[in-house]
Amino acid sequence: MSATLHVKKPGWITRRLFNPAIAFLTRRGLSIWGSRVLAVRGRKSGEWRTTPVNLLTVDGRQYLVAPRGHVQWTHNMRAAGGGRLLLGKSVQDFTAEEVPDEQKPELLRAYLKRWKAEVGAFFNGVGPDSSEDDLRRIAPDHPVFRVTVTGV
């Protein structure tokens, strides 16, 4: 079964109210629980595409997790190999390396501990207290990228 079958599209409230509000605040320098605006070049157009994301830090390393699955920004990230994280006027260029499924459970658990109230519905009942087996089961459905900042 293709992982793209598991994509959860954001609802109207998320698309029209929540994401624009978080992006608005983040663009003005106010991070909401680690929020950033991700800018990544489109794999077909080459134009910058933006979306609000939650930047996860675990053991001093930074990660981007795709709660809704294999969506446009994840496809673009694979093609571009990196992008920019925006917070107000601060711009951080970065490279991105996709994390293998077997390394994701710890990262998914940490992500859900921090943002379950916001994104828990996209994880099919799996939460921060779920078993390692459950986290391994959903790992292929949620791309995770290790972010390495290359410029400020």
Side-chain angles (χ1 to χ4, degrees):
M1 182 182 290
S2 171
T4 56
L5 294 177
H6 299 289
V7 171
K8 301 261 187 172
K9 300 270 185 193
W12 186 91
I13 290 173
T14 298
R15 274 192 338 270
R16 300 288 183 188
L17 297 175
F18 186 73
N19 281 353
I22 295 297
F24 175 84
L25 293 170
T26 303
R27 282 189 182 101
R28 277 141 190 85
L30 182 61
S31 176
I32 310 296
W33 284 77
S35 65
R36 299 291 189 279
V37 173
L38 168 66
V40 64
R41 292 216 181 254
R43 63 195 179 282
K44 296 175 186 170
S45 70
E47 295 177 17
W48 287 103
R49 304 292 183 195
T50 60
T51 190
V53 293
N54 294 318
L55 184 62
L56 174 68
T57 302
V58 174
D59 296 331
R61 302 211 63 177
Q62 295 180 314
Y63 300 88
L64 293 173
V65 176
R68 291 182 180 88
H70 299 266
V71 293
Q72 292 303 318
W73 75 259
T74 63
H75 298 299
N76 290 338
M77 184 72 71
R78 287 184 189 109
R84 293 179 174 159
L85 292 170
L86 313 171
L87 178 60
K89 293 181 181 181
S90 171
V91 177
Q92 292 183 313
D93 292 319
F94 68 90
T95 58
E97 176 187 353
E98 194 157 5
V99 174
D101 290 342
E102 60 273 7
Q103 294 176 18
K104 290 181 189 176
E106 170 193 3
L107 301 171
L108 293 173
R109 187 180 307 283
Y111 188 84
L112 287 164
K113 277 183 184 173
R114 178 108 188 202
W115 291 290
K116 183 178 185 224
E118 181 183 332
V119 299
F122 303 114
F123 286 85
N124 296 321
V126 174
D129 299 323
S130 293
S131 72
E132 197 77 11
D133 286 342
D134 283 341
L135 290 162
R136 273 201 273 324
R137 178 177 49 78
I138 66 162
D141 298 331
H142 300 282
V144 176
F145 295 88
R146 183 176 299 111
V147 170
T148 302
V149 174
T150 58
V152 178

